[in-house]
Amino acid sequence: MSELALIIEDDEDLANIFAEALRGVGFEVEHVADGKIAQERLKSGRAPFLVLLDMHLPHVSGGQLLTQIKQDERFANTMVIITTADARMGEAYVNQADFVLIKPISFVQLRDLTSRLKPKDQS
Amino acid sequence: MKMLFERFMAISTADPDDTRRRRILNILLVSIGILSLLALAASLAAIFLEVQRWENVKLLIIGSIVTVLGMLIIYLINIFWSGRVAATIFLVFLTLVFAFGDTPEQVSDGRSLFAFAIPIIMASILLAPWLSFVFGTMSGVIVSVIAVSIDRVPNIPAIAGFFVIALVSWLSAGNLEQALKELRDINLNLDKVVVERTQALAESLARERIEAGRNQAILNSIADGVIVFDRNWNAILANPAVRSMLEISRDQVAGKNFRELIQQPGLSPHGRDLLSAMMEHETQPPSFRIEWNGKTLSVSAAQVYDMRNDINVNIGTVAVFRDFTREAELEKLKSTFVAIVSHELRTPLNAILGYSEMFKETVYGPMNEKQVNMADRIMKNTKRLLGLINDLLDQAQMEAGKLTIQMGPVKPAELLETLHGLMDKTAADKNLTLTSEIDPNLPDTINGDAARLQQILVNLVNNAVKFTEQGSIRVRLWRPKENKWGIVISDTGDGIPPSEIPYIFETFRQVDGAATRLHGGFGLGLSIVKQLVHMMNGEIEVESVLGEGSTFMITLPLVIPEKVAVRRS
């Protein structure tokens, strides 16, 4: 079973592109478009290998979700990539997340980054 | 009593000399009149007491009555008509009294001779100095005639004596009059000076009052709030605008110290800090904003210097308050609008960028070369739009004063590493090489705003790539001085015409309209760079040779973070 990547992103197109990049690298992709739903999702279910977390979400902010992830032991090995359009906000979270990507995020950039992160189980 | 006497003696005339003479004459007349009255009274008492008989004192009584009446007449002439006439009559009368008041023997050559000196001296005082000679001559003639009438030789030495007395009288009276005249002139001059000075003082006071009134009117009518503080920060003036702006009464501000004023409950703590800082800084503080009773006020302060005697003396401070509430609201709205719009624009552009990349990367299967090329064009145009939006957002933030410099430790090597990561591909796409070097003298870690420095580097390299068709772009970080560090970016591009160099940092302008179409882009990048450099207290310069290339040079203050400095020493 391949690693799970959870995309928390309210923009459908961006989520689509991110999913395509991650699938291209070999991740199994799960997408949540709402902060509140993401909060519920993180309470149970399979722990993702990677979370692509948008900071600007409906109902519950990315910052709150990040805190939730960091406090949950099940996610001790989960990598968090923050995606935000606000460079200052990105800087503020740089120490709490594994990576911070400032929007616009390039398909190639995301694909190359995640491909490096993914364990090389095939070879 | 004294007043009655003064009134009795009073003379109304404009000539001070005449006044003086007539007053002296009056005193003489009154004295003689009183003496005559006393003599009359004594004679009458003697007859009444039968000490003397009428025959013996008859002459004295008649003489006294005549004298009193004579004095009265002369007095009236002196008071109501002419001092000269009165004095002349008086002196002639006196001379005649002396001439016939004694035996001819005594008058011509005896005790009465000396009495003639009296009218001679008086003539010089009561009439005119030279008239002493007239009375001298008259006395001489009278004495001579009397002497001849009793067959005697006139006493020539005595007559000569009259002339000597006349001469002395003439000299002293003349001198006295001269001295008095000079004194009067001095007094007159003094009076004139006093009058002039008084008038000048009154005029300048009036002018000052008008000036002060005008200044007050100006202060009262301007919409900005103005408080003037003396050098000890006590409020000495506050216009009505500032009182209504700060919602304080006249008593709450007049004479109050600045420290007291900023304890007003309506002032936000942050505003209080800013105002205290303003007071403590002796140098010219810039303007800043405070919150007061829910209003946003812009405050600027200017020191007032007295330039007198070429020495600058600080005599106080003028603080100007401007109601900025509406502007602040508009600015907030504007920046919120810009933030929302840029976010809303960036998200779909990010999607377009992603999808075109996916085409280019043939995620959904192979495409022909033209299709890949088209996807590439979509990508590039999208990037251009995204760049433009970023620039606009930065510009808007800078205009709103929201873009701030946040200093922290920066590693120059990392700046270049990130720059290569971001720009190598862009340069390579145009077959340009991007090279960089670091001066070994530059410390490994320096103080700066990493994000903004990165933005400056990216903007300048982007700009260089845009205007260079072949060759290279070189980036150099160095240390031109002990306390400065610099960024130098050179390209082998078209160069900038000298006439255009002054304008390249302007907002919304690009050299030569044709270049815009050829290279694309928007004239905000360099303007933002310049503004950022200035915010970092740095300088930016450009040198360019047409057809050979351009070099942008930035010089920034070099501050080594303390921790690093300690570790090194």
Side-chain angles (χ1 to χ4, degrees):
Chain A
M1 192 165 56
S2 48
E3 286 82 7
L4 175 68
L6 177 62
I7 299 173
I8 306 173
E9 168 65 61
D10 64 333
D11 187 84
E12 197 189 328
D13 287 309
L14 287 186
N16 218 345
I17 292 161
F18 295 165
E20 217 48 81
L22 291 168
R23 270 193 214 106
V25 178
F27 282 102
E28 187 187 329
V29 176
E30 187 185 337
H31 171 223
V32 180
D34 181 282
K36 200 157 190 169
I37 296 167
Q39 211 170 29
E40 291 304 314
R41 162 64 184 85
L42 287 169
K43 281 179 185 164
S44 58
R46 189 177 157 201
F49 174 81
L50 180 84
V51 178
L52 204 59
L53 178 62
D54 184 19
M55 283 285 123
H56 191 81
L57 289 167
H59 303 116
V60 175
S61 78
Q64 279 171 276
L65 293 175
L66 181 66
T67 313
Q68 191 182 343
I69 293 167
K70 287 288 149 192
Q71 282 172 351
D72 195 330
E73 273 185 25
R74 291 185 301 129
F75 303 128
N77 294 318
T78 298
M79 274 195 265
V80 179
I81 301 178
I82 283 175
T83 67
T84 175
D86 187 340
R88 289 276 176 219
M89 189 189 263
E91 271 170 48
Y93 284 105
V94 89
N95 292 323
Q96 296 180 50
D98 294 282
F99 292 94
V100 174
L101 297 178
I102 307 296
K103 288 177 184 176
I105 295 161
S106 149
F107 172 82
V108 175
Q109 182 192 8
L110 184 63
R111 191 185 61 188
D112 294 353
L113 173 69
T114 49
S115 117
R116 271 188 280 136
L117 299 177
K118 193 175 180 293
K120 299 275 187 278
D121 48 2
Q122 303 276 317
S123 56
Chain B
M1 181 73 197
K2 199 184 170 207
M3 263 191 41
L4 195 71
F5 182 72
E6 288 284 336
R7 264 188 74 181
F8 189 61
M9 291 290 166
I11 310 290
S12 54
T13 169
D15 183 354
D17 276 328
D18 193 32
T19 309
R20 177 173 55 85
R21 288 188 193 116
R22 283 159 88 169
R23 280 179 69 95
I24 293 170
L25 182 59
N26 271 354
I27 292 166
L28 291 171
L29 292 172
V30 169
S31 312
I32 293 169
I34 289 167
L35 281 174
S36 303
L37 283 172
L38 285 174
L40 184 63
S43 307
L44 289 174
I47 292 167
F48 185 72
L49 294 170
E50 293 178 358
V51 178
Q52 288 283 349
R53 281 191 298 168
W54 165 252
E55 286 78 23
N56 289 345
V57 290
K58 184 178 71 181
L59 260 175
L60 191 63
I61 289 169
I62 294 164
S64 297
I65 291 167
V66 169
T67 306
V68 169
L69 289 175
M71 293 305 117
L72 186 64
I73 291 161
I74 296 168
Y75 170 79
L76 291 173
I77 293 169
N78 190 34
I79 293 283
F80 295 108
W81 185 27
S82 162
R84 280 178 187 279
V85 173
T88 309
I89 294 169
F90 173 69
L91 291 173
V92 169
F93 176 81
L94 209 60
T95 308
L96 291 177
V97 167
F98 291 140
F100 301 107
D102 209 347
T103 58
E105 289 79 15
Q106 290 295 347
V107 171
S108 62
D109 198 10
R111 61 189 177 203
S112 282
L113 267 178
F114 303 104
F116 287 100
I118 295 167
I120 297 170
I121 294 166
M122 282 184 178
S124 69
I125 295 167
L126 292 179
L127 285 166
W130 62 272
L131 280 171
S132 60
F133 291 108
V134 173
F135 277 86
T137 309
M138 199 169 83
S139 301
V141 169
I142 289 168
V143 169
S144 300
V145 167
I146 289 171
V148 169
S149 70
I150 54 165
D151 296 331
R152 286 204 182 179
V153 179
N155 189 337
I156 301 301
I159 293 165
F162 290 159
F163 281 97
V164 173
I165 290 167
L167 180 72
V168 172
S169 297
W170 172 68
L171 283 174
S172 52
N175 273 340
L176 182 71
E177 287 208 343
Q178 188 60 34
L180 283 173
K181 193 172 172 296
E182 278 168 14
L183 199 67
R184 264 202 311 278
D185 284 349
I186 289 169
N187 277 337
L188 204 68
N189 209 20
L190 213 64
D191 284 353
K192 231 166 91 181
V193 170
V194 168
V195 166
E196 278 169 12
R197 289 283 155 84
T198 310
Q199 208 159 9
L201 196 67
E203 277 169 17
S204 83
L205 270 175
R207 243 198 329 270
E208 213 158 273
R209 212 169 296 140
I210 291 167
E211 191 74 16
R214 194 181 298 147
N215 288 347
Q216 189 65 46
I218 292 169
L219 264 182
N220 285 354
S221 62
I222 57 175
D224 287 352
V226 178
I227 306 184
V228 181
F229 296 97
D230 65 12
R231 52 189 299 195
N232 297 320
W233 288 92
N234 294 315
I236 50 175
L237 206 124
N239 70 348
V242 83
R243 297 203 298 268
S244 70
M245 212 178 274
L246 305 183
E247 290 168 33
I248 49 177
S249 67
R250 190 187 287 266
D251 292 342
Q252 277 174 300
V253 63
K256 288 281 155 57
N257 191 271
F258 189 76
R259 284 186 189 83
E260 261 179 274
L261 274 177
I262 60 171
Q263 297 309 319
Q264 296 282 335
L267 179 61
S268 67
H270 181 59
R272 197 164 292 141
D273 291 346
L274 286 171
L275 287 170
S276 316
M278 175 184 93
M279 188 178 81
E280 273 150 30
H281 286 304
E282 285 296 313
T283 49
Q284 205 87 334
S287 74
F288 52 86
R289 292 189 198 170
I290 57 166
E291 300 284 329
W292 195 307
N293 286 336
K295 289 184 195 136
T296 303
L297 304 178
S298 159
V299 187
S300 54
Q303 312 266 315
V304 183
Y305 290 100
D306 189 358
M307 294 283 274
R308 219 171 296 164
N309 304 329
D310 291 335
I311 304 164
N312 266 353
V313 184
N314 182 3
I315 53 170
T317 306
V318 178
V320 179
F321 296 76
R322 177 169 293 178
D323 195 337
F324 232 76
T325 313
R326 201 173 145 64
E327 284 87 342
E329 278 168 7
L330 282 175
E331 267 173 21
K332 208 174 160 188
L333 267 177
K334 184 184 160 191
S335 70
T336 311
F337 175 77
V338 170
I340 289 170
V341 165
S342 65
H343 183 259
E344 293 304 315
L345 280 172
R346 261 197 280 197
T347 309
L349 281 171
N350 197 168
I352 296 172
L353 186 71
Y355 285 132
S356 55
E357 267 185 300
M358 281 161 69
F359 270 134
K360 207 187 156 200
E361 298 296 320
T362 61
V363 172
Y364 297 127
M367 293 196 297
N368 65 34
E369 198 187 324
K370 279 190 176 170
Q371 285 170 322
V372 170
N373 193 30
M374 198 184 67
D376 192 41
R377 300 300 281 266
I378 295 172
M379 253 177 72
K380 276 187 181 150
N381 280 292
T382 311
K383 279 185 181 165
R384 235 176 82 189
L385 266 177
L386 282 165
L388 166 62
I389 290 161
N390 284 342
D391 283 354
L392 279 173
L393 188 63
D394 279 347
Q395 186 66 34
Q397 279 185 318
M398 249 180 274
E399 274 167 15
K402 284 210 166 173
L403 200 152
T404 51
I405 298 296
Q406 291 174 6
M407 301 298 269
V410 175
K411 288 189 170 20
E414 280 181 11
L415 286 177
L416 290 182
E417 201 180 306
T418 312
L419 180 69
H420 279 290
L422 290 167
M423 298 308 296
D424 273 351
K425 196 170 178 302
T426 315
D429 283 349
K430 274 185 93 172
N431 287 322
L432 302 169
T433 51
L434 175 63
T435 61
S436 63
E437 57 174 309
I438 299 184
D439 182 354
N441 287 330
L442 195 63
D444 293 341
T445 308
I446 57 175
N447 234 355
D449 183 328
R452 296 301 166 196
L453 286 168
Q454 198 72 66
Q455 191 180 1
I456 289 171
L457 285 168
V458 169
N459 273 10
L460 286 177
V461 170
N462 231 332
N463 190 65
V465 169
K466 204 189 290 175
F467 291 98
T468 307
E469 295 309 323
Q470 56 178 353
S472 62
I473 290 137
R474 285 183 299 127
V475 180
R476 181 164 177 249
L477 306 184
W478 68 311
R479 187 176 188 173
K481 278 186 200 166
E482 187 61 27
N483 58 348
K484 301 270 180 207
W485 73 284
I487 300 170
V488 181
I489 293 177
S490 330
D491 62 52
T492 54
D494 306 343
I496 308 160
S499 61
E500 297 290 347
I501 285 184
Y503 307 110
I504 59 167
F505 294 111
E506 279 184 11
T507 315
F508 303 115
R509 187 178 168 120
Q510 202 168 32
V511 180
D512 184 11
T516 312
R517 258 163 273 137
L518 185 65
H519 298 284
F522 203 72
L524 272 176
L526 286 180
S527 155
I528 288 168
V529 167
K530 185 178 186 178
Q531 291 175 72
L532 287 174
V533 169
H534 280 182
M535 285 169 84
M536 295 171 177
N537 296 320
E539 293 293 329
I540 183 163
E541 281 176 86
V542 61
E543 277 175 12
S544 187
V545 180
L546 269 181
E548 284 182 29
S550 310
T551 303
F552 286 83
M553 289 156 292
I554 293 170
T555 315
L556 295 160
L558 176 63
V559 180
I560 301 163
E562 249 174 60
K563 268 188 280 181
V564 178
V566 168
R567 201 170 60 205
R568 289 206 159 180
S569 66

